[in-house]
Amino acid sequence: MNPADLGLPVDVPSTALFTDHYELTMLQAALANGTADRRSVFEVFTRRLPEGRRYGVVAGTGRVLDAVENFRFDGAVLEFLRERAVVDMRTLDWLASYRFSGDIWGYPEGEVYFPGSPVLRVEGSFAECVLLETVILSILNHDSAIAAAASRMSSAAGDRPLIEMGARRTHELAAVAASRAAYVGGFTSTSDLAAGFRYGIPTVGTSAHAFTLVHDSERDAFTAQVASLGRGTTLLVDTYDVAEAVRTAVEIAGPELGAVRIDSGDLLLVAHRVRQQLDELGATSTKIVVTSDLDEYAIASLAAAPVDAYGVGTQLVTGSGHPTCSMVYKLVARATSADPKAAPAPVAKKSTGGKTSIGGRKWAARRRDAEGVAEAEVIGVGPVPAALADDQLLTQLVKAGEVVAREPLEAARDRHRAVLAGLPLSATQLSRGEAVLPTEYV
């Protein structure tokens, strides 16, 4: 069974209103003056990485494909637009039969990006492309921010697994998307059941402090949990006294106790003490899981601690200080007439304050050194140099309105791991720095 085919309650039947009012008013004016059918090219990119970040992570591509497929104006949506007089009747008639029929190219999910990288390219008529701006940006900006934070945390954790547990710190639907993005970025499981149901991500969880507190004693709580979930369960040991809890846990579960979780205090110090105590009690294979407002820096500080896994919530689902990637969706080329044979010509906004853009339908490639390590992100308009032909980054995702590149989430996760391995070693440093690869325009 593929849960994505079931139409789950975590999905939204139509994405058509996940857009800004002015997208529809632009459409109305373009339909009226004849520019709506001009062949156009829009690109998604960011002008800079968040401060201190060395690379960005492309995430949400699969969700973008779903959103484009579900961008439909049904009767209820059209009636809402009519009642509010958002657009005129001619535009409503046009929207009633809206189906994206163009092409979409993009960096595959899990790939990394840099300033100026054309992460997504949308081609079709101006009318059909302009409507997708807001929903595409909302997905890519959110998911890529979470994936970038997850990637940094995963690098800091090394081989130790990471559990995503931030559902209670964000919007209920954002929590599902955040879990998905975290999985792409290197997390191994989630506490969020909707994410497990929707995307097949492994789910984990045992008990919270409330379970201990509802019992008359910690011993009663541990006994009940072990009886229900088995000796391999994870017992939360910091409700009262940690040392006493660890002793009680091993008495009840024996040396087969799966793990203990520490959720407060000086994690570095407590982890060392708990490891020593577990070993002295004969529970040498019992693992230690730590939680408590972790971010990539806290995880890195615990590298030498006897910790076996990390649970991360708030900092992950808020992008660890950078909840958006500041991606934009810009028209970079358009035809001068509605003739379908008219070739789009480059256009670009000219502005001060760092908001300039470069016109033209772009390609992107990653140049590598003799050892195969990436050394530059190369972006150009026109023919691709022969030396870079095999290193192009954009792949076709949608062709003539049909999705052609849907893939399992595991593929994006595996891709990200492989891409990181091909970047310079400094990419995973947590110290502040510039983008690990320069962007070159040719």
Side-chain angles (χ1 to χ4, degrees):
M1 180 188 73
N2 181 5
D5 296 332
L6 298 180
L8 308 180
V10 293
D11 286 336
V12 177
S14 169
T15 54
L17 291 185
F18 287 177
T19 191
D20 288 309
H21 187 117
Y22 79 167
E23 311 290 8
L24 298 189
T25 54
M26 283 192 288
L27 170 65
Q28 177 177 305
L31 288 170
N33 77 353
T35 54
D37 292 329
R38 289 188 175 186
R39 180 82 181 168
S40 299
V41 180
F42 286 82
E43 289 177 351
V44 175
F45 62 93
T46 186
R47 296 183 176 95
R48 64 191 66 84
L49 296 178
E51 183 180 358
R53 296 290 167 89
R54 310 239 171 165
Y55 60 89
V57 180
V58 178
T61 308
R63 295 208 309 121
V64 166
L65 299 180
D66 292 341
V68 171
E69 283 189 331
N70 292 328
F71 206 90
R72 305 284 188 269
F73 292 83
D74 59 23
V77 170
L78 292 169
E79 181 61 19
F80 165 79
L81 297 175
R82 186 194 65 78
E83 288 179 350
R84 300 294 182 93
V86 175
V87 290
D88 59 20
M89 288 304 301
R90 176 186 180 183
T91 306
L92 289 174
D93 289 342
W94 189 92
L95 291 172
S97 60
Y98 177 86
R99 300 289 187 275
F100 180 73
S101 64
D103 300 331
I104 299 179
W105 293 70
Y107 280 37
E109 192 159 16
E111 182 58 86
V112 298
Y113 68 89
F114 300 92
S117 297
V119 170
L120 201 74
R121 188 174 71 224
V122 182
E123 304 181 37
S125 71
F126 174 80
E128 65 180 338
C129 294
V130 75
L131 292 182
L132 299 176
E133 175 180 6
T134 304
V135 69
I136 286 176
L137 287 179
S138 65
I139 292 171
L140 292 181
N141 269 313
H142 173 269
D143 290 24
S144 296
I146 305 305
S151 179
R152 285 163 60 84
M153 293 174 186
S154 181
S155 293
D159 294 332
R160 297 171 178 176
L162 289 157
I163 307 163
E164 183 279 312
M165 47 197 306
R168 62 191 61 195
R169 302 300 190 211
T170 188
H171 184 280
E172 64 272 18
L173 295 183
V176 181
S179 180
R180 182 186 184 282
Y183 193 65
V184 171
F187 274 58
T188 55
S189 58
T190 179
S191 66
D192 190 81
L193 289 174
F197 187 49
R198 178 68 180 85
Y199 297 114
I201 301 169
T203 60
V204 296
T206 50
S207 68
H209 292 103
F211 184 77
T212 300
L213 294 169
V214 77
H215 288 83
D216 295 335
S217 70
E218 194 167 51
R219 177 176 292 274
D220 289 347
F222 288 176
T223 300
Q225 184 174 328
V226 171
S228 177
L229 302 179
R231 297 177 185 274
T233 190
T234 299
L235 296 175
L236 180 58
V237 295
D238 72 327
T239 305
Y240 304 117
D241 178 84
V242 172
E244 180 62 28
V246 171
R247 183 162 39 252
T248 301
V250 176
E251 285 179 8
I252 293 169
E256 298 85 9
L257 175 62
V260 296
R261 177 162 74 95
I262 307 167
D263 188 51
S264 60
D266 183 336
L267 297 179
L268 179 62
L269 175 63
V270 175
H272 277 286
R273 288 178 174 173
V274 169
R275 181 73 271 159
Q276 180 179 354
Q277 186 181 10
L278 287 169
D279 291 346
E280 290 173 349
L281 292 171
T284 56
S285 61
T286 298
K287 299 184 183 302
I288 297 175
V289 180
V290 296
T291 52
S292 185
D293 290 329
L294 299 176
D295 62 9
E296 60 265 49
Y297 301 103
I299 291 170
S301 73
L302 292 168
V307 172
D308 298 287
Y310 306 93
V312 189
T314 303
Q315 291 301 317
L316 174 65
V317 299
T318 57
S320 196
H322 297 292
T324 182
C325 304
S326 298
M327 290 181 181
V328 295
Y329 183 96
K330 295 298 181 184
L331 181 66
V332 296
R334 57 102 176 111
T336 56
S337 75
D339 183 346
K341 296 180 180 179
V347 293
K349 173 183 177 181
K350 293 184 179 180
S351 169
T352 58
K355 284 196 170 185
T356 57
S357 57
I358 298 173
R361 181 181 187 273
K362 299 174 193 68
W363 52 264
R366 192 160 295 149
R367 191 175 68 240
R368 305 179 185 280
D369 63 19
E371 283 71 43
V373 178
E375 60 180 11
E377 193 89 339
V378 186
I379 299 170
V381 176
V384 180
L388 295 173
D390 294 333
D391 296 307
Q392 294 186 71
L393 295 165
L394 288 139
T395 60
Q396 188 155 25
L397 306 172
V398 176
K399 183 176 182 180
E402 297 295 324
V403 174
V404 296
R406 188 170 273 115
E407 62 182 6
L409 193 58
E410 290 288 347
R413 175 183 169 83
D414 292 343
R415 179 180 296 113
H416 182 62
R417 186 183 300 113
V419 168
L420 275 189
L423 294 179
L425 290 176
S426 58
T428 57
Q429 290 179 346
L430 297 182
S431 57
R432 293 189 178 276
E434 300 298 321
V436 71
L437 295 187
T439 302
E440 299 178 0
Y441 292 94
V442 298

